[in-house]
Amino acid sequence: MKKVLLVLALSLIAMPMYASASVISHYTYTKHNKSDLLAKDVYKKANLKGVIDFKVFNEGYQAYYNTPKRKKQLLTIIDYSKPSTQKRFYVIDLKRNKLVYNTYVSHGVNSGGKTSTRFSNIVNSRQTSLGTFLTDSTYYGGNGYSLRLDGMTPGINDNARRRYIVVHGADYANESFIRRNGYLGRSWGCPALPTKLARQIIDTIKGGSVIYARA
């Protein structure tokens, strides 16, 4: 009788342990795949095919998904693998599944000519930084209306504040500059935007949205 009771007791103890392992396994699987599924859903609903490669969008979406301090359902992607003569700055509204802006953006003067090939996190390098950024507040400075950025990728862009890497408008970031020179003008490392769009883009993405820059 004692042997039967012991076996029954051991069975009761083992059952919840088995159930818990099953739940944990299911949760891990769900968590791992959730962001991929969401990215595919947004990509399709926002009609981004042919506008931005899914691999690039998915990289940006994973950066957004894994940034806990974000405050807005907006994702900005800068694809520096494209030359400056192409519109490589994308702002996607993840709540409405809509591409809000797609325009030109400059890279740093020491990052390359028409195409950026060198990137840095070093102060005074005048090169572009890659990685995930969070937008902060606006101010008026030497480049006019500007948006402060915080670099969220350690060792890659976390000197953004010290380097004064901000979003701002610039005459050299306009399409007319490309027509005259064959390439977009370059900054000291800031992602400079066309003057006519700069303010409205800044006001859209300011206050805690994610920017993902890649090459």
Side-chain angles (χ1 to χ4, degrees):
M1 185 67 178
K2 289 182 179 180
K3 188 174 182 180
V4 173
L5 290 173
L6 179 61
V7 171
L8 181 60
L10 289 172
S11 298
L12 290 171
I13 292 170
M15 281 176 66
M17 288 178 66
Y18 176 80
S20 297
S22 176
V23 170
I24 291 169
S25 177
H26 175 72
Y27 173 75
T28 303
Y29 176 83
T30 304
K31 185 179 180 182
H32 177 72
N33 288 273
K34 183 179 179 182
S35 59
D36 292 323
L37 293 173
L38 289 172
K40 290 177 181 177
D41 186 57
V42 173
Y43 187 79
K44 182 179 179 180
K45 289 179 178 177
N47 297 313
L48 296 176
K49 187 176 182 180
V51 179
I52 182 171
D53 185 77
F54 176 72
K55 179 180 180 294
V56 176
F57 173 75
N58 193 39
E59 284 179 16
Y61 192 87
Q62 301 310 316
Y64 165 85
Y65 190 84
N66 291 298
T67 302
K69 294 182 180 180
R70 65 182 187 273
K71 297 177 182 178
K72 288 186 173 182
Q73 288 181 271
L74 289 169
L75 169 62
T76 299
I77 296 175
I78 307 176
D79 187 3
Y80 286 116
S81 70
K82 292 185 173 184
S84 63
T85 51
Q86 293 185 24
K87 294 181 179 181
R88 53 187 182 172
F89 185 96
Y90 310 83
V91 180
I92 302 109
D93 186 326
L94 300 176
K95 186 176 182 179
R96 296 186 295 159
N97 297 319
K98 182 180 179 181
L99 178 66
V100 185
Y101 296 103
N102 179 202
T103 189
Y104 300 100
V105 64
S106 70
H107 56 253
V109 66
N110 289 333
S111 281
K114 184 176 178 180
T115 303
S116 52
T117 56
R118 298 179 298 277
F119 306 91
S120 178
N121 189 37
I122 299 173
V123 176
N124 296 325
S125 67
R126 297 186 182 180
Q127 291 183 17
T128 291
S129 290
L130 302 178
T132 303
F133 299 84
L134 266 180
T135 65
D136 192 29
S137 56
T138 59
Y139 70 100
Y140 285 92
N143 291 302
Y145 192 57
S146 305
L147 174 62
R148 297 182 179 91
L149 302 178
D150 287 310
M152 308 302 289
T153 309
I156 302 298
N157 65 12
D158 52 2
N159 279 330
R161 285 277 188 164
R162 291 178 60 205
R163 296 183 62 205
Y164 300 99
I165 301 300
V166 299
V167 179
H168 62 79
D171 291 336
Y172 57 75
N174 295 318
E175 191 173 15
S176 57
F177 191 98
I178 297 176
R179 289 196 295 267
R180 291 195 307 270
N181 300 280
Y183 58 90
L184 199 69
R186 293 162 295 170
S187 66
W188 283 9
C190 295
L193 300 172
T195 47
K196 288 184 179 180
L197 290 174
R199 175 177 282 274
Q200 55 187 281
I201 290 177
I202 287 172
D203 283 341
T204 298
I205 67 175
K206 67 182 179 181
S209 73
V210 172
I211 295 178
Y212 175 70
R214 53 95 67 188

